[in-house]
Amino acid sequence: MKIVVTGGAGFIGSHFIKYILKKHPGYKILNVDKLTYAGNLENLEEIKDNPDYSFVKEDICNRKTIENAISGYDVIVNFAAESHVDRSINEPEVFLKTDVFGTFNLLEICRTRGIKKYIQISTDEVYGSADYGETFTEESRLNPSSPYSASKAAADLLVLSYYKTYKMSINIVRSSNNYGPNQYPEKFIPLFVTNAIEDKKLPLYGDGRNVRDWLFVMDNCAGIDTVLHKGVSGEIYNIAGESERENIFIAKKILKYLGKSEELIQFVNDRPGHDRRYSISCEKIKRIGWRQKTSLEDGLRLTVEWYRDNRQWWEKIKSGEFLKYYKTHYK
Ligand code: NAD
Ligand code: DAU
């Protein structure tokens, strides 16, 4: 199989590329990534010389170059996105451009160039907050809260429209909060782990009791691989971690693993429009054979150890672009 992975230099996309090359010898992967602040080719260092892997630096909004590059490929798996909710609150425009227009562009390329299959990497955030103890299924209504999740929901609707109107073969995958090595340290777990290692405060939003469902990144990659091979065209598949925890629970666990004091936790102003809880059912993808393998306990410990042992990966990020952003928006 010849797969175009967009956004493959980011957190999940880079793990997915490595997962596929290992699991399916002989598959070819073309990584198309603009290399925004979140794209990092160091994430792919170990496979960069693999003859089955190639890379093109390009924006998914740029149709012509991508059309030329992907000739002969069977499927596009679209990870490329602006992915951080806080950034979408401060600077929403680029979210509309990449997450909506970029998706449209890739769909058009598939339609006009005869690419056999398109997989959209979406998110549980499109369902909005599960405030009343409910658990969302693939049939639940879309009710996004942030410019990020609204842009992802818009993209999902476009993808579904290409299935209905043009009979294109598509799937949508909606997963819960991923965590693991190589996650950009603006996201909750890597920010808190790296701050704790540096004895810096851990800025916990609001009362710290918002709930996220944590999914180890390799289990997510296995789920996307399951959909790639066994997904029924036109169908949406949720991938859940089935590990819902309050943020304060995760913060305390991180501090415990690192042997640091809970006094590092600092309650700060809440995120505007902050979703209280995410909760999705993954019964549908289980029916096509996916099972989660990594417990939250094991995955979190492994993740903390990875950041502890790979300071060179995150120290330069935290002293460069991220620092500039952080200083602008968090004084
Ligand atoms: P990330 O921010 O780590 O990586 C995004 C990648 O996309 C980067 O390599 C970046 O350079 C690239 N990119 C951004 N704009 C681009 C453009 N215009 N053209 C080409 N490349 C571009 O994101 P992530 O956390 O790995 O998330 C990947 C996907 O999974 C996203 O679509 C996100 O919405 C979705 N998702 C993420 C999570 C999570 O917990 N991280 C959960 C569910 C769904
Ligand atoms: O649910 C899937 C989504 O998970 C993905 O679609 C997004 O791309 C991804 O960024 C993530 O969104 P969240 O907003 O849930 O993740 P984030 O890591 O930003 O925050 C997780 C929780 O931690 C959330 O309740 C906000 C809180 N938080 C976050 C940060 C960065 C804090 O308390 N302090 C912080 O500094």
Side-chain angles (χ1 to χ4, degrees):
M1 192 183 287
K2 294 181 77 178
I3 308 169
V4 178
V5 172
T6 61
F11 166 49
I12 308 174
S14 62
H15 281 289
F16 181 73
I17 290 173
K18 290 182 273 190
Y19 179 94
I20 291 289
L21 289 174
K22 195 166 171 198
K23 173 106 189 277
H24 303 290
Y27 278 28
K28 304 251 179 276
I29 293 193
L30 170 67
N31 175 14
V32 178
D33 195 302
K34 185 184 176 183
L35 298 183
T36 67
Y37 78 94
N40 186 349
L41 290 177
E42 279 183 37
N43 297 346
L44 296 157
E45 193 59 31
E46 70 213 62
I47 54 100
K48 73 174 193 315
D49 297 323
N50 186 322
D52 291 330
Y53 168 77
S54 50
F55 170 68
V56 174
K57 181 178 182 305
E58 191 50 85
D59 188 328
I60 58 165
C61 298
N62 189 349
R63 186 152 160 195
K64 271 280 156 281
T65 346
I66 297 181
E67 268 178 353
N68 294 334
I70 66 162
S71 166
Y73 279 79
D74 304 306
V75 48
I76 295 182
V77 185
N78 179 29
F79 291 87
E82 289 294 332
S83 69
H84 191 43
V85 173
D86 292 332
R87 286 182 188 250
S88 84
I89 294 165
N90 295 319
E91 287 159 26
E93 192 171 330
V94 68
F95 285 74
L96 273 291
K97 282 188 181 142
T98 293
D99 300 9
V100 185
F101 184 74
T103 299
F104 162 72
N105 214 26
L106 296 175
L107 287 166
E108 274 296 280
I109 291 169
C110 284
R111 182 175 77 82
T112 56
R113 294 286 160 137
I115 304 287
K116 295 189 202 92
K117 194 176 178 75
Y118 177 89
I119 298 186
Q120 174 72 358
I121 304 303
S122 184
T123 167
D124 62 355
E125 294 200 19
V126 297
Y127 301 117
S129 193
D131 290 341
Y132 306 105
E134 69 270 55
T135 292
F136 297 126
T137 71
E138 291 81 355
E139 307 300 316
S140 297
R141 82 170 171 129
L142 301 184
N143 188 23
S145 305
S146 68
Y148 162 70
S149 51
S151 74
K152 295 295 288 187
D156 283 8
L157 293 177
L158 265 176
V159 175
L160 290 171
S161 80
Y162 272 65
Y163 171 71
K164 286 184 193 149
T165 305
Y166 303 111
K167 314 292 176 226
M168 251 174 59
S169 178
I170 63 95
N171 287 114
I172 296 173
V173 175
R174 294 178 180 151
S175 51
S176 56
N177 280 67
N178 280 223
Y179 69 98
N182 302 107
Q183 187 169 27
Y184 196 83
E186 65 187 348
K187 305 280 166 65
F188 176 62
I189 287 183
L191 178 71
F192 276 33
V193 173
T194 57
N195 276 13
I197 291 170
E198 297 184 294
D199 289 311
K200 289 182 179 156
K201 293 286 185 191
L202 313 188
L204 196 55
Y205 295 164
D207 63 3
R209 300 196 57 190
N210 296 66
V211 172
R212 293 294 181 266
D213 171 34
W214 295 102
L215 171 67
F216 190 61
V217 64
M218 295 314 291
D219 283 328
N220 189 31
C221 292
I224 297 166
D225 184 37
T226 304
V227 172
L228 176 64
H229 290 93
K230 297 187 191 158
V232 176
S233 180
E235 295 294 319
I236 300 165
Y237 295 91
N238 290 342
I239 309 180
E242 297 186 308
S243 297
E244 292 180 31
R245 298 288 187 281
E246 290 182 346
N247 292 337
I248 192 157
F249 172 92
I250 301 288
K252 286 181 178 173
K253 268 266 180 224
I254 290 169
L255 291 167
K256 185 158 174 270
Y257 286 152
L258 289 167
K260 303 280 180 162
S261 162
E262 288 184 9
E263 284 176 15
L264 283 179
I265 293 175
Q266 181 175 40
F267 288 92
V268 298
N269 286 344
D270 209 352
R271 169 187 282 173
H274 194 177
D275 285 330
R276 191 64 172 167
R277 170 173 170 258
Y278 294 141
S279 184
I280 50 171
S281 158
C282 58
E283 292 310 310
K284 187 170 170 182
I285 193 171
K286 284 182 180 169
R287 289 199 289 276
I288 57 167
W290 175 79
R291 288 288 178 282
Q292 185 185 170
K293 287 195 178 138
T294 314
S295 69
L296 179 60
E297 187 80 18
D298 289 348
L300 195 55
R301 189 183 292 279
L302 195 149
T303 302
V304 170
E305 285 169 3
W306 188 86
Y307 284 92
R308 190 196 60 202
D309 299 341
N310 289 275
R311 287 182 80 121
Q312 82 295 345
W313 184 88
W314 55 266
E315 272 176 340
K316 54 178 176 263
I317 297 175
K318 284 186 93 171
S319 61
E321 192 280 342
F322 175 69
L323 192 63
K324 206 170 73 207
Y325 163 79
Y326 206 77
K327 278 187 175 155
T328 312
H329 294 295
Y330 299 93
K331 85 194 147 299

